[in-house]
Amino acid sequence: MSLAKRIIPCLDVDNGRVVKGVKFVDIRDAGDPVEVARRYDKEGADEITFLDITASSDNRDTIVHVVENVAEEVFIPLTVGGGIRKVEDVRTMLNAGADKVAVNTAAVFNPDFVKEATDRVGSQCIVVAIDAKQVSAQGEPLRWEIFTHGGRKPTGLDAVEWARKMVENGAGEILLTSMDRDGTKIGFDIALTRAIAEAVSVPVIASGGVGNLEHLAEGILEGLADAVLAASIFHFAEYSVHEAKEYMAESGIEVRL
Amino acid sequence: MSLIAVVDYGMGNLRSVDKALEHVATSGQRVCVTSDAGEIASAERVVFPGQGAARDCMRELKDRNLIEPVMQAAREKPFLGICMGLQVLMSRSEENDGVDCMDLFKGGVRYFGSELDRDNSEELLKIPHMGWNNVTQTISHPLWHGIKQGSRFYFVHSYFVDPEDEAVVAGETTYEIVFTSAIACDNVFAVQFHPEKSAADGLQLLKNFTQWDGK
């Protein structure tokens, strides 16, 4: 009887449609975020995260409608990230039905943004997304830096220090993605996850690199994350969220089943 | 049409509370998000949600002249407090260096950070207490109808209520320490967790509320 570790499926949304394809047999339209979200909810997802990857700012409103539609029928916490630049964007997402908003690049270029946003809407609504890459060479003490633009641009900011600073500024949660592992399916960067989880007082969501259920359990047991986020292993229905939870429970992790 | 009023005092997003209530309301019920005292007075039942800091919540309630209408509703009709809508019913909160609250229930609102022994705990105890935790139903109550003992609900909070009168405790939750996660007294039921975000069990609780006569 205690707080459960969370499993969070993440949906990449482009122009209002889920991309990367989903192959659930019982889904009529695999690109419809509402159908996919409903399915994850049914499988026991603890939260759902939407990442808006729409390139054109003309089409940014589509994600707002996605959130509105999902919030009408899926009654678990919803997080939205991608393209959040102003406090006004945060408000728009919350009003559409999001419970939390993830910010990253905006926070890198204007650290006060997190302070401003949490003052307005409360820490519990602001997730700071951190994209980190290892910069230490072999043999050196491990060190990670913040990267922007999908991991292409270094910022020179130390990831652990940055996480601490974001929490000081009011972040209610950290969404930590290893840019070295993202898309590799070889597992989380455990050392990075653990370093951040131990450095901050707020919950940490581990992301980037999940290829199987063992990886999810490692993120919690070895990385000390409070939640694990994964996209592709759920998208392609390699595993259901329910199977993931059963595996975690067998590994001795407290989950909501 | 009987009215379910969701009190809007500018603290937090009420859309999910609104949508979840609409999802479970019967065809003869209408849900309305309102800051109008008349509408709150004419409602058959009242939901009092809230997010954010205690000081801001109390200030907004005062600025909108909503303290008395909310207190009146809590005295006479089925009333459901959610999250900050539970905390501000207490006498006083530790948040923001101390804030006087509505004093419907005697007792304080305390910070997890001063209570948890985080240095000596085996786990990293994070604040806010965020996620799905078990709620032990300490009394039987119409709002627990159809919800299994120990079911998980979604929480996100850094402060918890500590009522003086143990008789009002309706549910408890453990986050290293045991804290009160639901209180019940006469026509008032109030919870620390978010039923509107707690999937099937949360919807069941809201459904129970829409059918509760307040006794």
Side-chain angles (χ1 to χ4, degrees):
Chain A
M1 298 276 279
S2 66
L3 185 65
K5 301 299 180 187
R6 290 167 281 152
I7 294 192
I8 308 174
C10 176
L11 305 181
D12 287 353
V13 179
D14 188 6
N15 284 314
R17 304 283 294 171
V18 179
V19 292
K20 286 189 181 171
V22 182
K23 291 179 183 163
F24 295 126
V25 281
D26 57 345
I27 281 191
R28 206 166 7 98
D29 178 359
D32 176 6
V34 179
E35 279 207 54
V36 178
R38 205 193 285 138
R39 174 62 202 241
Y40 285 145
D41 174 34
K42 219 166 84 188
E43 286 182 0
D46 295 312
E47 297 180 20
I48 296 174
T49 291
F50 297 91
L51 191 59
D52 185 23
I53 57 167
T54 307
S56 156
S57 53
D58 296 348
N59 296 330
R60 277 281 150 70
D61 283 353
T62 55
I63 189 72
V64 178
H65 301 307
V66 165
V67 175
E68 280 173 352
N69 293 335
V70 172
E72 302 240 330
E73 40 185 308
V74 175
F75 299 102
I76 57 174
L78 306 175
T79 300
V80 186
I84 306 290
R85 294 276 182 281
K86 307 186 295 283
V87 176
E88 237 8 79
D89 301 334
V90 174
R91 283 237 69 108
T92 304
M93 290 307 174
L94 295 178
N95 288 337
D99 299 283
K100 305 185 234 183
V101 173
V103 298
N104 55 1
T105 315
V108 173
F109 293 118
N110 174 16
D112 289 339
F113 174 76
V114 170
K115 222 177 178 128
E116 237 175 272
T118 53
D119 277 350
R120 287 276 297 279
V121 301
S123 286
Q124 77 284 346
C125 298
I126 302 295
V127 183
V128 169
I130 292 183
D131 293 345
K133 226 176 180 171
Q134 189 179 325
V135 290
S136 49
Q138 197 138 28
E140 284 178 7
L142 288 170
R143 220 178 79 77
W144 302 267
E145 268 182 24
I146 306 294
F147 278 68
T148 62
H149 298 84
R152 293 190 307 276
K153 282 195 185 168
T155 62
L157 296 163
D158 180 79
V160 175
E161 275 170 34
W162 181 252
R164 280 207 191 99
K165 181 170 179 185
M166 290 297 100
V167 172
E168 262 168 42
N169 285 2
E173 197 171 26
I174 299 286
L175 168 56
L176 174 67
T177 304
S178 160
M179 300 313 287
D180 298 309
R181 298 299 177 94
D182 204 28
T184 63
K185 304 194 117 199
I186 59 168
F188 295 119
D189 183 336
I190 294 295
L192 167 68
T193 307
R194 194 178 182 119
I196 302 278
E198 287 183 329
V200 298
S201 57
V202 303
V204 172
I205 305 166
S207 154
V210 174
N212 59 43
L213 301 184
E214 213 179 325
H215 293 153
L216 291 175
E218 279 169 7
I220 304 280
L221 295 172
E222 292 166 39
L224 306 182
D226 302 278
V228 283
L229 180 138
S232 58
I233 65 161
F234 298 131
H235 284 327
F236 299 108
E238 287 168 55
Y239 303 100
S240 71
V241 175
H242 187 75
E243 281 171 313
K245 287 193 160 182
E246 280 184 329
Y247 181 88
M248 282 168 63
E250 283 163 24
S251 313
I253 297 169
E254 186 97 19
V255 289
R256 162 183 164 253
L257 273 170
Chain B
M1 286 295 247
S2 68
L3 186 67
I4 303 172
V6 179
V7 183
D8 177 9
Y9 52 110
M11 292 309 291
N13 167 34
L14 306 183
R15 188 183 164 94
S16 43
V17 176
D18 180 24
K19 290 293 161 198
L21 283 165
E22 277 174 15
H23 195 79
V24 298
T26 60
S27 55
Q29 290 177 318
R30 187 169 69 85
V31 183
C32 111
V33 176
T34 181
S35 50
D36 181 80
E39 221 160 7
I40 294 167
S42 69
E44 184 188 52
R45 51 194 82 233
V46 169
V47 177
F48 184 47
Q51 267 187 354
R55 184 201 287 144
D56 297 341
C57 284
M58 287 308 294
R59 192 193 55 226
E60 290 297 326
L61 285 165
K62 277 181 202 144
D63 286 356
R64 292 164 198 239
N65 293 316
L66 282 172
I67 301 234
E68 196 36 47
V70 169
M71 285 296 274
Q72 188 61 29
R75 280 191 285 264
E76 63 187 23
K77 54 184 93 177
F79 184 97
L80 177 64
I82 298 173
C83 195
M84 282 310 288
L86 158 65
Q87 294 188 5
V88 295
L89 297 179
M90 307 305 292
S91 316
R92 191 172 164 77
S93 171
E94 275 182 8
E95 198 171 3
N96 309 121
D97 301 320
V99 178
D100 285 328
C101 296
M102 294 170 74
D103 203 25
L104 182 68
F105 294 101
K106 295 289 169 208
V109 181
R110 287 155 56 191
Y111 182 50
F112 272 123
S114 355
E115 307 292 330
L116 301 181
D117 187 5
R118 286 197 281 180
D119 293 338
N120 294 313
S121 174
E122 279 178 29
E123 280 195 72
L124 298 173
L125 291 166
K126 298 304 181 82
I127 299 176
H129 170 233
M130 184 189 285
W132 299 77
N133 206 336
N134 307 96
V135 175
T136 303
Q137 301 162 19
T138 54
I139 58 167
S140 78
H141 191 282
L143 264 67
W144 293 136
H145 172 77
I147 298 168
K148 278 198 196 118
Q149 179 61 282
S151 290
R152 288 185 187 274
F153 290 87
Y154 186 78
F155 288 83
V156 48
H157 62 125
S158 302
Y159 292 77
F160 62 96
V161 299
D162 185 15
E164 279 173 22
D165 181 4
E166 274 182 33
V168 303
V169 176
E172 287 179 337
T173 295
T174 304
Y175 190 50
E176 191 178 80
I177 55 168
V178 177
F179 67 92
T180 299
S181 51
I183 60 178
C185 185
D186 303 326
N187 56 304
V188 174
F189 196 88
V191 294
Q192 181 59 66
F193 52 82
H194 289 272
E196 77 281 11
K197 285 287 154 186
S198 296
D201 287 325
L203 292 175
Q204 179 67 41
L205 190 144
L206 292 176
K207 190 177 175 63
N208 293 341
F209 177 72
T210 64
Q211 295 168 357
W212 183 38
D213 62 4
K215 289 180 188 134

